[in-house]
Amino acid sequence: MSNGSFDSVNDESPVSARSRSHADSHSRPRTSARASSRSRPLSLESSLEALRSSEEFEGPVEGLDGHESTDHLALIYESRDEQLAVAIPFVRDGLENGERCLYIADDNTKAEILTAMSAAGIDADAALESGALSIHTKRDTYVRDGSFDPQNMIEFIDGVITEATELDGYPGLRITGEMTWILGTDVDSSSLIEYEGRLNDFIPEKECIALCQYNRERFDPNVIRDILRTHPHLIYGGAVCQNFYYTPPAEFFGPEQPSHDVDRMLETLRGRTLAKETLRERERGLEGLNDLSRALIDADAEAIGDHLLEATRTILGAPLSSVWWYDEERGGLRRHGVVEDGDEEAENGDGAGPNGVGDGDEHDDRPNALADDSVVELAWNSFVTGDPVTPGVTRDRSGSDRDGRSSSSSSSGTRSRSESTELENTTEPVLVLPLGRHGVLAVRWLADASARTRIDDVTVDFASAIAQSARTALDRAEREASLHDRERELAAQNDQLQRLGRINDVIRDIDQVLVRAAGRGQIEREVCERLADADPCTFVWIGGYDTRSDQVRPRAWAGEGADYLQTMSSIECDEGRDEFEHPPCAAIRSGTPQIVENTLREPSYEPWRGSALANEFHSVLSVPIRYESSTYGALTMYADRPAVFDETEREVFAELGETIGHAINAVESKRALVADSAVELEFHVTDRAFRPIRLASRADCTVEFTGTVPQSDGSSLVFFTTTGASAETVLEAAKDDEGIAEITCLDGAEAETGDEGGDECFFECRLTATNAIATLVEHGGVPQAIDADRDEATVVVELPKRANVRTFVETFMEGYDDAELVARREHDRPLQTTRDLKSTLMNRLTERQREVLHTAYFSGFFESPRVTTAQEVAETIGISQPTASGHIRAGERKLFELLFDEYDCVDESR
C-alpha cells in the first residue's frame, strides 16, 4: 500500500501481518455484516455520547451545540487514571460500533494498555486477532522512517483509513495517540503543531476521528498553549469542553495571524460579557419566577390573573399583556385585564368566541391594545390547539449583530439576548401561550420605527415558564374549589352515613330476632318495635296481604301514630286506582319499595293526607315482604320530616323486607313439619311439562315418588321408583332433561340392565334449583306422594293448618296449565313423645339385636375414631363378625325407619 499504509510499517510491528491476515482470511460479506451492525455514525457526537454514558468518565460533557468541530479532540491529562478514563471508553465505543481502532502507545506500555482494556470489559485478544484493534509505538507510526514529517504522517493515516474502509469493509478509523512520543527526540515542537493543524483540514474529509493525548506534567506550557489553539474540543480535568481558544488552520498558520488573534480575543471578551449579562438577566428572571410562585401558592383564579399580568411586566419587560379566561357559559374567551407600561386595566370586556373572533373591550381605544381581531383570533387558536402562537417572532439566521459585522467566527458559542431572536421591521411580535383549559396569556411588544425590536430565546423561555406556573396554580385553585365542594358533599354524606349506621345497627338487631323467632307474629311485632325506636322512623306497621280480598290488613305496629291505623282497618288494593294507590299496595303490586318524599305535596297521597299530617307523618317508605314468589305483606315506615328516605335507604330496607319474608317462610315451613294438625291438598295434573309425566311418557313406565331431601344450593335430591321399564331405558329418557342434573339407579341397574323381565328400578335424582318440588317446599308444603304415568299425575302435599292455602294453590296452578285441585283434607297428626319413640324401637328390635347394639355402644364402636371393631364386639358376645355386623346394620335401619318414615313429631317435654 502506498502513502504509508500498514504494508509499509517496519518489521518491528505485528500489525502489518495481522492486518493482511485479516484481509485475506475473511470474505467481503463478513466485513460488510460487521459494518452494517453500527448503531451510530462515526462522529464526534458519538464519541462524546460514549464518554457521557461510560462508567469510567464521571465529569460533565459539553455537546457541540453548533460549535465548530473537526472530529479532532485533545486530552490534557495529569494522571494515568485521568488519561485512561477517556482513552479506554474512546476505543471501546469504536469497537462496539464496528470501527477499526488504532492505539499508539508511549506514555504507557502495550501491556498496560491491554490490561486497562480488559479491565473495562473489552475482549482485547479477540479484537487484536480480528484486526479490529491494533496497538503501535512511535517507531511504527510517527518516526517509522527514522524521522517525523507532518505530511508523511498524514499520508500514512490516509492509507490506513483507505485500507480499513475500502479493503476490509470497516465504516471508519478511530485513532488515538499518546503524544509523549515526541519527548526525548530531536523533533521540533513546531512540526508537531503543524501536524495538529493539518489534521483539522484532513479529518473532516475522511471517515476518521482522532484523540490526541497530552501529559501536561511532561510538556512545556508553550506547547500546551499551542495544542489548545489547534483542537476545537478539549478534555481536561474530567470535563469535555467547547474550546473557544481554538483557531482554524487558515488563521493559525496565515500571515494575518496576529490580527486574527486580536479579533478572536476581542470577540471572546465581548461574548463572555454578553454571556454574563444574559446570566444575570436569567438570574433576575428566576428570582421573579420564584416571587411569582410564592404569590400563586394561595391565590384564587382572579388573583392569579393579576399576578400573571404583573409578572409579564417585571420579568419579561413586555409593554402590553393580557389574560383571557375561558367562559364555559358563553363558550368563548373573556379578557381578564390588560397591562400597558405598568398600568393595569382589569376590565372584563367581550372576548373570543368559538370562531376565534371577539368584539374586544369597547372602553379600550388604544391602537396597540390586545383586543383587536387579529390578537383575539390568535388567542382562540392557541386555546383550541393547546400550542403557543408566536406571529412576528423570527429567528435571526443572518449571523449578524447590530453593527452588521459577521459573528460566524465567534468562538464563544453563546448568543446574547439581542442576538438569538429577531422581529422583522414590519411586524409587532406577539406571544400567545395557552393556560390549559383555563385560558391563554397574550404578550405583545410594540415595534419602534427607529430601531428593530428583538425577542430572544430567554424571553420566550421565561414567558413559557410564567404560563406554566400560572397553569399549575390554576389547576391547584380548581382542585381546591372542587375539594371544598366535595367537602360539603362529604359532610352531607357523613350525616347520611351516620343515620344509615344507626339503621344498620337496628337491622343487625332485627336479624338476631329473626333467627330466634318462633312464629310470624313475633317476627312482625319485634321488627316494628325496633324500627320505631330508631331514627328517622316515628311510626312503623306491617300489613298482611290477603290475596282473596286483595286487601292489606294491619298485623303489627309500634311508635307514635297508632291513631292513624284506626281510620282504616284494612286497605283496598284496587289496581284501577293508580292515581291514589296507597304505598303498601303499590309496594305489594310492583314488588319494589315506594317512597313518598312529602305527604303534603305528593298528589297520589291525597286521600290519606289529612290523617297523616295530623300524626305529623311527612314522608313514607313502604317495602314489600316477600320470599321468592310468595308475598306476605308490606312494611311501612313514617318520618316526621320530608325527604328523609333516599335511594340508599330504599335499598337497605328493600333487603330487610326480603330478609323478613325469608324468616316468615322459614318458620311456616318448620310449622308444616312439626304441626300436630295439617291440611292435605291433592292435585290432578295432566300438563306434560310436569317432569314426572314427561319422564313416564319418554320411558313408557310409571313413576312413584318416595322421598326428597332439599339441598343447601337450592337443588333437590329426589328418590323415586319406576315400573314397566328397564333402568337403561329410564336413564336414556332422563338424559336430555335440562332440569335433571344427575340421576343414578340405586337398585336394579347392574342386575337388570338388558334383562327384559326387569321392570322395577329405584333411582336417586338431583334436580336443578328450579323444580316443582323445590317450589312446594319454598311455600311451606311437604310433598307426601307423587304418582305419574305417561298421561297424568297425582300430587299430594301437606301444609300446616294455619298456612295460606289459597296462595299455595294459586302458586302451584300458575306453574302448570292443566292442573286442578281435586281434594282438600284436614287431619290431625299423631304426637309422639321421646318415650314413645324409644318404646317402639325396642319392640321392633330382637333380643340379639338389642344385645349387640348395647355391647357396641358401650364399648365405643360408634365413637370417632372407633374404640373397638366389629370383630372385637363379636368376640365379646361370642358370635361371628359377619353376624355382629348384620345385627348392627339391622338395628340402624329400624331406627332410621322410625325417624324418616313414621316418626312425625316428638314432644320432648313429656
Side-chain angles (χ1 to χ4, degrees), residues 815-836:
Y816 303 101
D817 294 336
D818 299 324
E820 63 176 330
L821 177 66
V822 297
R824 170 177 172 163
R825 296 178 288 272
E826 296 186 8
H827 63 87
D828 293 332
R829 291 186 291 192
L831 184 65
Q832 292 184 329
T833 65
T834 304
R835 184 179 302 169
D836 294 335

Side-chain angles (χ1 to χ4, degrees), residues 811-878:
T811 300
F812 181 82
M813 297 182 68
E814 284 176 0
Y816 303 101
D817 294 336
D818 299 324
E820 63 176 330
L821 177 66
V822 297
R824 170 177 172 163
R825 296 178 288 272
E826 296 186 8
H827 63 87
D828 293 332
R829 291 186 291 192
L831 184 65
Q832 292 184 329
T833 65
T834 304
R835 184 179 302 169
D836 294 335
L837 173 64
K838 182 176 181 181
S839 176
T840 303
L841 177 60
M842 288 301 178
N843 289 333
R844 293 191 179 188
L845 294 175
T846 66
E847 183 177 351
R848 175 64 77 178
Q849 289 171 350
R850 289 196 297 271
E851 179 185 9
V852 172
L853 289 174
H854 272 95
T855 303
Y857 177 78
F858 288 109
S859 65
F861 176 79
F862 297 106
E863 299 293 332
S864 180
R866 287 180 175 175
V867 177
T868 60
T869 65
Q871 179 66 40
E872 293 171 335
V873 171
E875 292 175 355
T876 301
I877 301 174

